[in-house]
Amino acid sequence: ATASLSMWPASHRLAASVVLAVSTRAFVVVAPVARRPGTSKRRCVEARRWVSSTGSDSESAEAGSRGEAPAKKRVVFLGSPGVAARTLEGLVAASSGREFEVVACVSQPPAAKGRKKVVQACEAQTAAESLGVPCLTPAKAKDPEFLASLARLEPDLCVTAAYGQFLPRAFLEIPKYGTWNIHPSLLPLYRGAAPLQRALERGDAVVGVTVLETVLRMDAGPIVAQVERVVRPDDAAPALLDELFATGVDLLVENLPDLWAGTVQYTAQDEALATHAPKLEASEAELDVLAADDDDPRSLAARAADKVRAFAPWPGTWLQVKLHGHDQPTRLKVLEAAAVDPPPDRPLDPVVALVGDALRLRCADGSALDLITVQPPNRKPMPAKAFWNGLRGAPLDLVAATSRS
């Protein structure tokens, strides 16, 4: 078999050499992995990973025959914000007693934050340091020095969760088994920077998390596994995002044995169903309850309540109100709200009234929105009832959204 390889054209041979693998059931010859005309580099990389994994498996078997514990697979984690920090902590905890270890973290570099513009490390970097995991903070994932450092780590797998940077081909070719991403949506729905937030804003009844292989196109790689989660009335983006990423860690770890064994089953995404989830913008934060939108079947109150929980904590949501004795409208931040269900039988009068502990607003379509927690300008968050009591009977009027005024 080895001799027959000499008949291959030189351009089709691997410079490294031919890999021969022997098992108890068969004698396997692994043909050289070459990039032939018309063959994509990606396909060559996949073949290289197969050869590498075969070699790793044989090395593990050989170590087992000598009574030695097989070397653990080396995982590098990439993530930046708080949710990524908690995902890293979950992955490190899950590695205990398993066949892999987290050998490094990669996060965005420290940046100026807050009003005082104090330079601070990303939450993932802080978490990595507390866990004793070395952390790399390249300005760009394509930086040659960073790629060289990553290669020296000899990662078997890279895992990303809210990293925030595009990963170039040179990066994707380094880990032996590829790169897996934890994405908080039911792909191919909501590819992009704010998948869960856009799903909540739209009023989806079911959300979820997907583990997929990273490719050059954003969130378009083949799916490893995904789990659905029914949305509850009290769900808001921050807590639900943490929950979905925690579920994603469990889902990823559950499928790692199949990855190491080369038996993982990937499912291609249906491009016809793909939707985009752009990042949230501060310019979107205003609530509009005084003008109906015929393109959305939900009531104005339901749309507003969904937006409040989707945009928490940033950029948040607000509406314009006019306080007695003030010439200009005031922005009232809305931190918690709920659509009245069922809606009132007849329109509310007045437009704004205290009902129980909530500040109830009459929307243009007759639906009602209860404000539960609000924040006036230069004040701390407070129950809506406390805000109303502070008005001491003065009238409060809603003002049309700035986009419509």
Side-chain angles (χ1 to χ4, degrees), residues 11-14 32-45 169 173:
S11 61
H12 294 175
R13 297 177 193 150
L14 242 197
V33 181
R35 187 179 179 185
R36 305 186 185 186
T39 301
S40 68
K41 188 175 182 181
R42 170 68 178 170
R43 204 171 273 189
C44 292
V45 172
R169 186 186 301 274
E173 292 179 350

Side-chain angles (χ1 to χ4, degrees), residues 1 5 14 16 31 54 58 60 95 118 204 228 238 251 267 294 331 335 346 376 393:
L5 294 176
L14 242 197
T54 305
S58 62
S60 297
S95 69
V118 177
D204 287 4
E228 295 183 350
L251 200 59
T267 302
D294 295 335
R331 284 190 179 186
L335 307 182
R346 58 182 181 275

Side-chain angles (χ1 to χ4, degrees), residues 9 14 18 26 31 40 96 139 154 159 169 180 239 248 284 334 385 402:
L14 242 197
V18 179
S40 68
S96 178
E154 298 182 340
V159 173
R169 186 186 301 274
W180 280 7
E284 302 176 78
V334 181
K385 185 176 182 179
T402 54

Side-chain angles (χ1 to χ4, degrees), residues 243-273:
E243 179 187 325
L244 290 179
F245 272 105
T247 300
V249 170
D250 294 340
L251 200 59
L252 182 142
V253 171
E254 179 183 318
N255 283 274
L256 285 181
D258 287 340
L259 178 65
W260 311 140
T263 58
V264 65
Q265 299 295 313
Y266 292 99
T267 302
Q269 295 188 39
D270 186 345
E271 292 296 324
L273 300 178

